[in-house]
Amino acid sequence: MGASAKRKKEKKQDFQKPKLKVGKKRPTNTNATDTSFSAKSIVFKQQSVSSGPRDTSALFNHNLSLLASKNETQRRDALQYLTTACTLAQNEEGEGLPQPASAVVAKAQALILDGNGGVRSQLLKLLKSLPVDEIGSLDQLLLYARAGMTHLSTDVRLFSLEVMDWILSSPSLGEAVMSVPGAWVKTLRTFENLLGWRSTNGSQNGNGTRQEGEKWTRQIASKTSSSGLEKGGNKLLVHQLATMASFLAVGLTPAPADPEASVKRAAQIFPLWHTDAHLLSTRSNPFGHLNLFGALRDAESEVYDSAEERLEVFRELDFLLTFRNGTQEAKREGGEIGRAAAAVDKALRLAETG
């Protein structure tokens, strides 16, 4: 028999129906599985009833890793567990967090831009439950907050403003955020773009007026910007003005001076006089403001440690006139917008009288 005839015969057998007789058992399939055996027990790893509870540190780290999950429910539940753990850690003496607060913020800060409202609200609860003194650097958190302030979603923009309010409500965090490179000028630019306040071409005269041929333009967000066309545009504008007022108040308010500091210092160095002027500076690069050998100054990315430095750059970059004119226009709106603009106007007086 040739090879071709053999293949035809085998192929033909696949389509032949076996003839079964009464009482005759059906032949076993070639791929049948033998299930005649029996097992005494089936054990699953880490699912025994006799096993103890999971380690608290391992469970905390597991929930911390779930913050990057694609499931919204898992992210929200993980935030709830972390919030409870942080609250209990502060109430119990001698018990600290398995991870530092800075590590928790680094993992959770990206959720500022999360699309789920439940996740965002739970994130704010987590941030408020963390010990303020252990949060660490705020540069990335501020970066996400500014990105959220310019987000397409109105809900995300409102939530980002709530995060900014939480930062500015704490004196230590407010001072820490001002020491972040670019925090002062870039955040002011963000508010300027959000509110649609623009100053075109412009230097300012000594009396505070614009030179001839220059214009100042505005776009009140509640009427002409895209946010006013969305639901809750007025609410967003009021919140933006209120947060900007808090930001200006924190940035332009000088640190409280100790009235007895000079007397104490004079008593320590007596009988010397003006000793501090002859000592080495306590600040790094004390003559950096002269920029004798450095590159061109990047005002937006610099760190302004004191309120005097922030006030100086606030005037140099012409924010004072722009914000003052925009505030006057917003106050004419009346209602909640007018009251929020009045708070901004009160904060601007620190720059005018400083």
Short mmCIF file of all heavy atoms in Angstrom, two decimals, residues 111-113 120 123-124 127-128 141-151 153-170 187-188 190-195 221 227 232-247 340 344:
data_model
loop_
_atom_site.label_atom_id
_atom_site.label_comp_id
_atom_site.label_asym_id
_atom_site.label_seq_id
_atom_site.Cartn_x
_atom_site.Cartn_y
_atom_site.Cartn_z
N LEU A 111 -1.89 60.55 42.38
CA LEU A 111 -3.34 60.38 42.38
C LEU A 111 -4.08 61.72 42.44
O LEU A 111 -5.31 61.73 42.43
CB LEU A 111 -3.76 59.50 43.56
CG LEU A 111 -3.21 58.07 43.54
CD1 LEU A 111 -3.69 57.31 44.76
CD2 LEU A 111 -3.62 57.35 42.27
N ILE A 112 -3.36 62.82 42.52
CA ILE A 112 -4.01 64.13 42.43
C ILE A 112 -4.73 64.27 41.10
O ILE A 112 -5.79 64.90 41.00
CB ILE A 112 -2.97 65.26 42.63
CG1 ILE A 112 -2.42 65.23 44.05
CG2 ILE A 112 -3.57 66.63 42.32
CD1 ILE A 112 -1.34 66.26 44.31
N LEU A 113 -4.18 63.65 40.07
CA LEU A 113 -4.75 63.71 38.73
C LEU A 113 -5.67 62.53 38.43
O LEU A 113 -6.03 62.31 37.27
CB LEU A 113 -3.63 63.77 37.69
CG LEU A 113 -2.57 64.86 37.89
CD1 LEU A 113 -1.50 64.76 36.83
CD2 LEU A 113 -3.20 66.24 37.89
N ARG A 120 -9.73 60.59 44.83
CA ARG A 120 -9.16 61.90 45.14
C ARG A 120 -9.54 62.36 46.54
O ARG A 120 -8.71 62.89 47.29
CB ARG A 120 -9.61 62.93 44.10
CG ARG A 120 -9.09 62.69 42.70
CD ARG A 120 -9.29 63.93 41.83
NE ARG A 120 -10.68 64.34 41.80
CZ ARG A 120 -11.57 63.93 40.91
NH1 ARG A 120 -11.21 63.06 39.97
NH2 ARG A 120 -12.82 64.36 40.93
N LEU A 123 -7.57 60.52 49.00
CA LEU A 123 -6.18 60.97 48.99
C LEU A 123 -5.99 62.18 49.89
O LEU A 123 -5.00 62.28 50.62
CB LEU A 123 -5.75 61.30 47.56
CG LEU A 123 -4.39 61.98 47.39
CD1 LEU A 123 -3.27 61.07 47.87
CD2 LEU A 123 -4.17 62.38 45.94
N LEU A 124 -6.93 63.11 49.85
CA LEU A 124 -6.82 64.30 50.70
C LEU A 124 -6.89 63.91 52.18
O LEU A 124 -6.17 64.49 53.01
CB LEU A 124 -7.94 65.28 50.35
CG LEU A 124 -7.87 66.65 51.03
CD1 LEU A 124 -6.56 67.36 50.69
CD2 LEU A 124 -9.05 67.51 50.63
N LEU A 127 -3.43 62.63 53.09
CA LEU A 127 -2.45 63.70 53.25
C LEU A 127 -2.63 64.42 54.59
O LEU A 127 -1.65 64.78 55.25
CB LEU A 127 -2.56 64.69 52.09
CG LEU A 127 -2.18 64.16 50.70
CD1 LEU A 127 -2.43 65.22 49.64
CD2 LEU A 127 -0.74 63.69 50.66
N LYS A 128 -3.88 64.63 54.99
CA LYS A 128 -4.14 65.31 56.25
C LYS A 128 -3.79 64.45 57.46
O LYS A 128 -3.55 64.99 58.55
CB LYS A 128 -5.61 65.73 56.32
CG LYS A 128 -5.99 66.82 55.33
CD LYS A 128 -7.45 67.20 55.46
CE LYS A 128 -7.82 68.32 54.49
NZ LYS A 128 -9.26 68.70 54.58
N LEU A 141 5.18 67.21 44.77
CA LEU A 141 3.78 67.41 45.14
C LEU A 141 3.25 68.72 44.57
O LEU A 141 2.12 68.78 44.05
CB LEU A 141 3.64 67.40 46.67
CG LEU A 141 2.22 67.53 47.22
CD1 LEU A 141 1.37 66.34 46.80
CD2 LEU A 141 2.24 67.65 48.74
N LEU A 142 4.07 69.77 44.62
CA LEU A 142 3.65 71.05 44.05
C LEU A 142 3.55 70.96 42.53
O LEU A 142 2.67 71.59 41.92
CB LEU A 142 4.66 72.13 44.45
CG LEU A 142 4.35 73.56 44.00
CD1 LEU A 142 3.04 74.04 44.61
CD2 LEU A 142 5.48 74.50 44.37
N LEU A 143 4.41 70.16 41.93
CA LEU A 143 4.36 69.99 40.47
C LEU A 143 3.05 69.33 40.05
O LEU A 143 2.39 69.76 39.09
CB LEU A 143 5.55 69.15 40.01
CG LEU A 143 5.72 68.97 38.51
CD1 LEU A 143 5.99 70.30 37.84
CD2 LEU A 143 6.85 67.99 38.21
N TYR A 144 2.63 68.29 40.78
CA TYR A 144 1.36 67.63 40.47
C TYR A 144 0.18 68.56 40.76
O TYR A 144 -0.83 68.54 40.04
CB TYR A 144 1.22 66.34 41.28
CG TYR A 144 1.94 65.16 40.68
CD1 TYR A 144 3.13 64.69 41.22
CD2 TYR A 144 1.43 64.50 39.57
CE1 TYR A 144 3.80 63.61 40.67
CE2 TYR A 144 2.08 63.42 39.01
CZ TYR A 144 3.27 62.97 39.56
OH TYR A 144 3.93 61.90 39.01
N ALA A 145 0.29 69.36 41.81
CA ALA A 145 -0.80 70.29 42.14
C ALA A 145 -0.97 71.34 41.04
O ALA A 145 -2.10 71.66 40.64
CB ALA A 145 -0.53 70.95 43.48
N ARG A 146 0.14 71.86 40.53
CA ARG A 146 0.04 72.84 39.44
C ARG A 146 -0.49 72.20 38.17
O ARG A 146 -1.25 72.82 37.41
CB ARG A 146 1.41 73.48 39.18
CG ARG A 146 1.82 74.51 40.20
CD ARG A 146 2.84 75.48 39.61
NE ARG A 146 4.00 74.81 39.08
CZ ARG A 146 5.15 74.64 39.74
NH1 ARG A 146 5.28 75.11 40.97
NH2 ARG A 146 6.17 74.02 39.19
N ALA A 147 -0.09 70.95 37.92
CA ALA A 147 -0.63 70.25 36.75
C ALA A 147 -2.13 70.03 36.89
O ALA A 147 -2.88 70.14 35.91
CB ALA A 147 0.09 68.91 36.57
N GLY A 148 -2.58 69.73 38.10
CA GLY A 148 -4.01 69.56 38.32
C GLY A 148 -4.79 70.85 38.20
O GLY A 148 -5.95 70.85 37.78
N MET A 149 -4.16 71.97 38.54
CA MET A 149 -4.84 73.27 38.44
C MET A 149 -5.14 73.64 36.99
O MET A 149 -6.04 74.45 36.72
CB MET A 149 -3.99 74.35 39.10
CG MET A 149 -3.92 74.23 40.61
SD MET A 149 -2.60 75.23 41.35
CE MET A 149 -3.10 76.87 40.84
N THR A 150 -4.38 73.09 36.05
CA THR A 150 -4.61 73.37 34.63
C THR A 150 -5.22 72.17 33.91
O THR A 150 -5.14 72.08 32.68
CB THR A 150 -3.28 73.75 33.96
OG1 THR A 150 -2.33 72.69 34.15
CG2 THR A 150 -2.72 75.03 34.56
N HIS A 151 -5.79 71.23 34.66
CA HIS A 151 -6.37 70.02 34.07
C HIS A 151 -7.64 70.36 33.29
O HIS A 151 -8.30 71.38 33.54
CB HIS A 151 -6.68 69.01 35.18
CG HIS A 151 -6.82 67.61 34.69
ND1 HIS A 151 -8.03 67.09 34.25
CD2 HIS A 151 -5.92 66.61 34.57
CE1 HIS A 151 -7.85 65.83 33.89
NE2 HIS A 151 -6.59 65.51 34.07
N SER A 153 -10.41 68.64 33.37
CA SER A 153 -11.57 68.35 34.19
C SER A 153 -11.71 69.41 35.29
O SER A 153 -10.75 69.73 35.99
CB SER A 153 -11.45 66.96 34.82
OG SER A 153 -12.49 66.73 35.74
N THR A 154 -12.92 69.93 35.44
CA THR A 154 -13.17 70.92 36.49
C THR A 154 -13.02 70.31 37.88
O THR A 154 -12.52 70.96 38.80
CB THR A 154 -14.58 71.51 36.32
OG1 THR A 154 -14.72 72.04 35.00
CG2 THR A 154 -14.85 72.60 37.34
N ASP A 155 -13.45 69.06 38.04
CA ASP A 155 -13.35 68.41 39.34
C ASP A 155 -11.89 68.25 39.77
O ASP A 155 -11.56 68.43 40.95
CB ASP A 155 -14.04 67.04 39.30
CG ASP A 155 -15.54 67.15 39.08
OD1 ASP A 155 -16.10 68.21 39.44
OD2 ASP A 155 -16.14 66.20 38.55
N VAL A 156 -11.03 67.89 38.83
CA VAL A 156 -9.61 67.75 39.16
C VAL A 156 -9.01 69.10 39.51
O VAL A 156 -8.18 69.22 40.43
CB VAL A 156 -8.85 67.10 37.98
CG1 VAL A 156 -7.36 67.03 38.26
CG2 VAL A 156 -9.39 65.70 37.72
N ARG A 157 -9.42 70.15 38.82
CA ARG A 157 -8.91 71.49 39.13
C ARG A 157 -9.35 71.93 40.53
O ARG A 157 -8.56 72.51 41.28
CB ARG A 157 -9.41 72.48 38.08
CG ARG A 157 -8.56 72.50 36.82
CD ARG A 157 -9.04 73.54 35.84
NE ARG A 157 -10.17 73.05 35.06
CZ ARG A 157 -10.83 73.77 34.17
NH1 ARG A 157 -10.51 75.03 33.99
NH2 ARG A 157 -11.82 73.25 33.48
N LEU A 158 -10.59 71.66 40.87
CA LEU A 158 -11.07 72.01 42.21
C LEU A 158 -10.31 71.23 43.28
O LEU A 158 -9.95 71.77 44.33
CB LEU A 158 -12.57 71.74 42.31
CG LEU A 158 -13.50 72.73 41.61
CD1 LEU A 158 -14.92 72.21 41.58
CD2 LEU A 158 -13.45 74.09 42.30
N PHE A 159 -10.06 69.95 43.01
CA PHE A 159 -9.35 69.15 44.00
C PHE A 159 -7.91 69.62 44.15
O PHE A 159 -7.37 69.63 45.27
CB PHE A 159 -9.38 67.67 43.59
CG PHE A 159 -8.59 66.79 44.51
CD1 PHE A 159 -9.08 66.46 45.76
CD2 PHE A 159 -7.35 66.30 44.13
CE1 PHE A 159 -8.34 65.65 46.61
CE2 PHE A 159 -6.62 65.49 44.97
CZ PHE A 159 -7.12 65.16 46.22
N SER A 160 -7.26 70.01 43.06
CA SER A 160 -5.89 70.50 43.15
C SER A 160 -5.82 71.77 43.99
O SER A 160 -4.86 71.98 44.73
CB SER A 160 -5.34 70.76 41.74
OG SER A 160 -5.36 69.59 40.97
N LEU A 161 -6.84 72.60 43.88
CA LEU A 161 -6.89 73.80 44.73
C LEU A 161 -7.07 73.42 46.20
O LEU A 161 -6.53 74.09 47.08
CB LEU A 161 -8.03 74.71 44.27
CG LEU A 161 -7.86 75.34 42.88
CD1 LEU A 161 -9.13 76.06 42.47
CD2 LEU A 161 -6.67 76.30 42.85
N GLU A 162 -7.81 72.34 46.47
CA GLU A 162 -7.95 71.88 47.85
C GLU A 162 -6.61 71.38 48.39
O GLU A 162 -6.29 71.58 49.57
CB GLU A 162 -8.99 70.77 47.92
CG GLU A 162 -10.41 71.24 47.64
CD GLU A 162 -11.41 70.10 47.71
OE1 GLU A 162 -10.99 68.96 48.00
OE2 GLU A 162 -12.61 70.34 47.47
N VAL A 163 -5.82 70.74 47.55
CA VAL A 163 -4.48 70.30 47.97
C VAL A 163 -3.60 71.52 48.27
O VAL A 163 -2.86 71.54 49.26
CB VAL A 163 -3.84 69.41 46.88
CG1 VAL A 163 -2.40 69.07 47.24
CG2 VAL A 163 -4.65 68.13 46.70
N MET A 164 -3.70 72.55 47.43
CA MET A 164 -2.94 73.77 47.69
C MET A 164 -3.40 74.43 48.99
O MET A 164 -2.57 74.94 49.76
CB MET A 164 -3.11 74.73 46.52
CG MET A 164 -2.38 74.33 45.25
SD MET A 164 -0.59 74.40 45.40
CE MET A 164 -0.34 76.15 45.67
N ASP A 165 -4.69 74.41 49.25
CA ASP A 165 -5.20 74.98 50.50
C ASP A 165 -4.65 74.23 51.71
O ASP A 165 -4.32 74.83 52.73
CB ASP A 165 -6.73 74.94 50.52
CG ASP A 165 -7.34 75.89 49.50
OD1 ASP A 165 -6.64 76.83 49.08
OD2 ASP A 165 -8.51 75.68 49.11
N TRP A 166 -4.56 72.90 51.58
CA TRP A 166 -4.01 72.10 52.69
C TRP A 166 -2.54 72.45 52.92
O TRP A 166 -2.09 72.57 54.07
CB TRP A 166 -4.16 70.61 52.37
CG TRP A 166 -3.32 69.74 53.25
CD1 TRP A 166 -3.51 69.47 54.57
CD2 TRP A 166 -2.13 69.04 52.86
NE1 TRP A 166 -2.52 68.64 55.04
CE2 TRP A 166 -1.67 68.36 54.02
CE3 TRP A 166 -1.44 68.91 51.67
CZ2 TRP A 166 -0.52 67.57 53.99
CZ3 TRP A 166 -0.30 68.12 51.64
CH2 TRP A 166 0.15 67.46 52.79
N ILE A 167 -1.78 72.64 51.85
CA ILE A 167 -0.37 72.99 52.00
C ILE A 167 -0.22 74.36 52.66
O ILE A 167 0.59 74.55 53.58
CB ILE A 167 0.33 72.96 50.63
CG1 ILE A 167 0.36 71.54 50.07
CG2 ILE A 167 1.75 73.51 50.73
CD1 ILE A 167 0.93 71.45 48.66
N LEU A 168 -1.00 75.32 52.19
CA LEU A 168 -0.86 76.69 52.68
C LEU A 168 -1.45 76.88 54.07
O LEU A 168 -1.12 77.85 54.76
CB LEU A 168 -1.54 77.66 51.71
CG LEU A 168 -0.95 77.68 50.29
CD1 LEU A 168 -1.81 78.55 49.38
CD2 LEU A 168 0.49 78.18 50.30
N SER A 169 -2.34 75.97 54.50
CA SER A 169 -2.95 76.11 55.83
C SER A 169 -1.98 75.78 56.95
O SER A 169 -2.17 76.22 58.08
CB SER A 169 -4.18 75.20 55.93
OG SER A 169 -3.81 73.84 55.80
N SER A 170 -0.94 75.01 56.66
CA SER A 170 0.05 74.66 57.67
C SER A 170 1.22 75.64 57.59
O SER A 170 1.81 75.82 56.51
CB SER A 170 0.55 73.23 57.45
OG SER A 170 1.62 72.93 58.30
N THR A 187 4.13 79.35 40.23
CA THR A 187 2.76 79.27 40.73
C THR A 187 1.99 80.55 40.44
O THR A 187 0.80 80.51 40.10
CB THR A 187 2.76 78.98 42.24
OG1 THR A 187 3.57 77.83 42.50
CG2 THR A 187 1.36 78.71 42.74
N LEU A 188 2.67 81.69 40.54
CA LEU A 188 2.01 82.95 40.18
C LEU A 188 1.65 82.97 38.70
O LEU A 188 0.58 83.46 38.31
CB LEU A 188 2.92 84.13 40.52
CG LEU A 188 3.13 84.42 42.02
CD1 LEU A 188 4.15 85.54 42.19
CD2 LEU A 188 1.82 84.78 42.70
N THR A 190 0.94 80.38 36.95
CA THR A 190 -0.19 79.48 36.79
C THR A 190 -1.50 80.17 37.13
O THR A 190 -2.49 80.07 36.39
CB THR A 190 -0.01 78.24 37.69
OG1 THR A 190 1.22 77.59 37.36
CG2 THR A 190 -1.15 77.26 37.49
N PHE A 191 -1.52 80.90 38.24
CA PHE A 191 -2.73 81.65 38.60
C PHE A 191 -3.04 82.72 37.55
O PHE A 191 -4.21 82.96 37.22
CB PHE A 191 -2.56 82.30 39.97
CG PHE A 191 -2.78 81.37 41.12
CD1 PHE A 191 -1.74 81.04 41.98
CD2 PHE A 191 -4.03 80.82 41.35
CE1 PHE A 191 -1.95 80.18 43.04
CE2 PHE A 191 -4.24 79.96 42.41
CZ PHE A 191 -3.20 79.64 43.26
N GLU A 192 -2.01 83.35 37.02
CA GLU A 192 -2.21 84.39 36.01
C GLU A 192 -2.86 83.80 34.76
O GLU A 192 -3.77 84.40 34.17
CB GLU A 192 -0.87 85.03 35.67
CG GLU A 192 -0.97 86.23 34.76
CD GLU A 192 0.40 86.80 34.44
OE1 GLU A 192 1.35 86.00 34.29
OE2 GLU A 192 0.53 88.03 34.34
N ASN A 193 -2.42 82.61 34.36
CA ASN A 193 -3.00 81.97 33.18
C ASN A 193 -4.41 81.45 33.45
O ASN A 193 -5.28 81.51 32.58
CB ASN A 193 -2.10 80.82 32.72
CG ASN A 193 -0.75 81.30 32.24
OD1 ASN A 193 -0.62 82.42 31.75
ND2 ASN A 193 0.27 80.48 32.40
N LEU A 194 -4.64 80.93 34.66
CA LEU A 194 -5.96 80.41 34.98
C LEU A 194 -7.02 81.51 34.98
O LEU A 194 -8.14 81.32 34.50
CB LEU A 194 -5.93 79.73 36.35
CG LEU A 194 -5.18 78.40 36.46
CD1 LEU A 194 -5.16 77.92 37.90
CD2 LEU A 194 -5.82 77.34 35.57
N LEU A 195 -6.66 82.65 35.53
CA LEU A 195 -7.62 83.75 35.64
C LEU A 195 -7.70 84.58 34.37
O LEU A 195 -8.57 85.44 34.25
CB LEU A 195 -7.24 84.65 36.82
CG LEU A 195 -7.29 83.95 38.20
CD1 LEU A 195 -6.68 84.85 39.26
CD2 LEU A 195 -8.71 83.60 38.56
N ALA A 221 -12.64 84.60 34.25
CA ALA A 221 -12.88 83.18 33.96
C ALA A 221 -14.35 82.83 33.98
O ALA A 221 -14.78 81.89 33.32
CB ALA A 221 -12.12 82.32 34.98
N SER A 227 -13.42 77.83 31.35
CA SER A 227 -13.96 77.30 32.60
C SER A 227 -15.35 77.84 32.88
O SER A 227 -16.14 77.20 33.56
CB SER A 227 -13.02 77.64 33.76
OG SER A 227 -12.90 79.04 33.88
N GLY A 232 -20.20 74.73 37.09
CA GLY A 232 -19.41 75.10 38.26
C GLY A 232 -18.31 76.08 37.96
O GLY A 232 -17.31 76.12 38.68
N GLY A 233 -18.44 76.88 36.88
CA GLY A 233 -17.39 77.83 36.53
C GLY A 233 -17.20 78.89 37.60
O GLY A 233 -16.07 79.25 37.93
N ASN A 234 -18.29 79.43 38.15
CA ASN A 234 -18.19 80.44 39.19
C ASN A 234 -17.56 79.87 40.45
O ASN A 234 -16.76 80.53 41.12
CB ASN A 234 -19.57 81.00 39.51
CG ASN A 234 -20.05 81.99 38.45
OD1 ASN A 234 -19.27 82.43 37.62
ND2 ASN A 234 -21.33 82.29 38.47
N LYS A 235 -17.93 78.65 40.80
CA LYS A 235 -17.35 78.01 41.97
C LYS A 235 -15.85 77.83 41.81
O LYS A 235 -15.08 78.05 42.74
CB LYS A 235 -18.03 76.65 42.20
CG LYS A 235 -17.51 75.89 43.40
CD LYS A 235 -18.22 74.56 43.55
CE LYS A 235 -17.67 73.78 44.74
NZ LYS A 235 -18.34 72.45 44.88
N LEU A 236 -15.43 77.45 40.61
CA LEU A 236 -14.01 77.29 40.34
C LEU A 236 -13.28 78.62 40.44
O LEU A 236 -12.20 78.71 41.02
CB LEU A 236 -13.82 76.67 38.96
CG LEU A 236 -12.37 76.50 38.48
CD1 LEU A 236 -11.61 75.56 39.40
CD2 LEU A 236 -12.35 75.96 37.05
N LEU A 237 -13.86 79.67 39.89
CA LEU A 237 -13.23 80.98 39.93
C LEU A 237 -13.08 81.49 41.36
O LEU A 237 -12.04 82.03 41.74
CB LEU A 237 -14.04 81.97 39.09
CG LEU A 237 -13.55 83.42 39.10
CD1 LEU A 237 -12.12 83.52 38.60
CD2 LEU A 237 -14.47 84.29 38.26
N VAL A 238 -14.12 81.30 42.17
CA VAL A 238 -14.06 81.73 43.56
C VAL A 238 -12.96 80.98 44.30
O VAL A 238 -12.20 81.57 45.08
CB VAL A 238 -15.43 81.51 44.24
CG1 VAL A 238 -15.33 81.72 45.74
CG2 VAL A 238 -16.47 82.45 43.65
N HIS A 239 -12.87 79.69 44.05
CA HIS A 239 -11.84 78.89 44.72
C HIS A 239 -10.45 79.30 44.26
O HIS A 239 -9.50 79.35 45.05
CB HIS A 239 -12.07 77.40 44.44
CG HIS A 239 -11.49 76.51 45.48
ND1 HIS A 239 -11.91 75.22 45.70
CD2 HIS A 239 -10.49 76.71 46.38
CE1 HIS A 239 -11.21 74.67 46.67
NE2 HIS A 239 -10.33 75.56 47.09
N GLN A 240 -10.29 79.60 42.98
CA GLN A 240 -8.99 80.04 42.48
C GLN A 240 -8.56 81.35 43.13
O GLN A 240 -7.40 81.51 43.53
CB GLN A 240 -9.06 80.20 40.96
CG GLN A 240 -9.12 78.89 40.20
CD GLN A 240 -9.40 79.09 38.72
OE1 GLN A 240 -9.80 80.18 38.30
NE2 GLN A 240 -9.22 78.04 37.94
N LEU A 241 -9.49 82.28 43.25
CA LEU A 241 -9.16 83.56 43.88
C LEU A 241 -8.83 83.38 45.36
O LEU A 241 -7.89 84.01 45.88
CB LEU A 241 -10.33 84.53 43.72
CG LEU A 241 -10.61 85.04 42.29
CD1 LEU A 241 -11.91 85.82 42.26
CD2 LEU A 241 -9.46 85.89 41.78
N ALA A 242 -9.58 82.52 46.05
CA ALA A 242 -9.32 82.30 47.47
C ALA A 242 -7.96 81.64 47.69
O ALA A 242 -7.21 82.02 48.61
CB ALA A 242 -10.44 81.44 48.07
N THR A 243 -7.63 80.66 46.86
CA THR A 243 -6.34 80.00 47.01
C THR A 243 -5.19 80.95 46.67
O THR A 243 -4.14 80.94 47.32
CB THR A 243 -6.28 78.76 46.10
OG1 THR A 243 -7.38 77.90 46.39
CG2 THR A 243 -4.99 77.99 46.31
N MET A 244 -5.38 81.78 45.66
CA MET A 244 -4.34 82.75 45.31
C MET A 244 -4.14 83.76 46.43
O MET A 244 -3.01 84.18 46.71
CB MET A 244 -4.69 83.46 44.01
CG MET A 244 -3.57 84.36 43.50
SD MET A 244 -3.93 85.14 41.92
CE MET A 244 -5.20 86.28 42.40
N ALA A 245 -5.22 84.16 47.09
CA ALA A 245 -5.10 85.08 48.22
C ALA A 245 -4.28 84.45 49.34
O ALA A 245 -3.41 85.10 49.95
CB ALA A 245 -6.48 85.47 48.73
N SER A 246 -4.51 83.17 49.62
CA SER A 246 -3.73 82.47 50.65
C SER A 246 -2.27 82.35 50.24
O SER A 246 -1.36 82.52 51.06
CB SER A 246 -4.33 81.08 50.90
OG SER A 246 -5.67 81.17 51.31
N PHE A 247 -2.04 82.06 48.96
CA PHE A 247 -0.66 81.92 48.47
C PHE A 247 0.10 83.24 48.58
O PHE A 247 1.26 83.27 49.01
CB PHE A 247 -0.69 81.43 47.03
CG PHE A 247 0.66 81.15 46.44
CD1 PHE A 247 1.35 80.00 46.77
CD2 PHE A 247 1.26 82.05 45.57
CE1 PHE A 247 2.60 79.74 46.24
CE2 PHE A 247 2.50 81.80 45.03
CZ PHE A 247 3.17 80.64 45.37
N ALA A 340 -14.25 87.06 47.16
CA ALA A 340 -12.97 86.39 46.99
C ALA A 340 -11.91 87.35 46.45
O ALA A 340 -10.74 87.30 46.85
CB ALA A 340 -13.13 85.19 46.06
N VAL A 344 -8.05 88.78 47.83
CA VAL A 344 -6.82 88.95 47.05
C VAL A 344 -6.31 90.37 47.17
O VAL A 344 -5.10 90.62 47.30
CB VAL A 344 -7.08 88.58 45.57
CG1 VAL A 344 -5.82 88.79 44.74
CG2 VAL A 344 -7.56 87.14 45.45
#
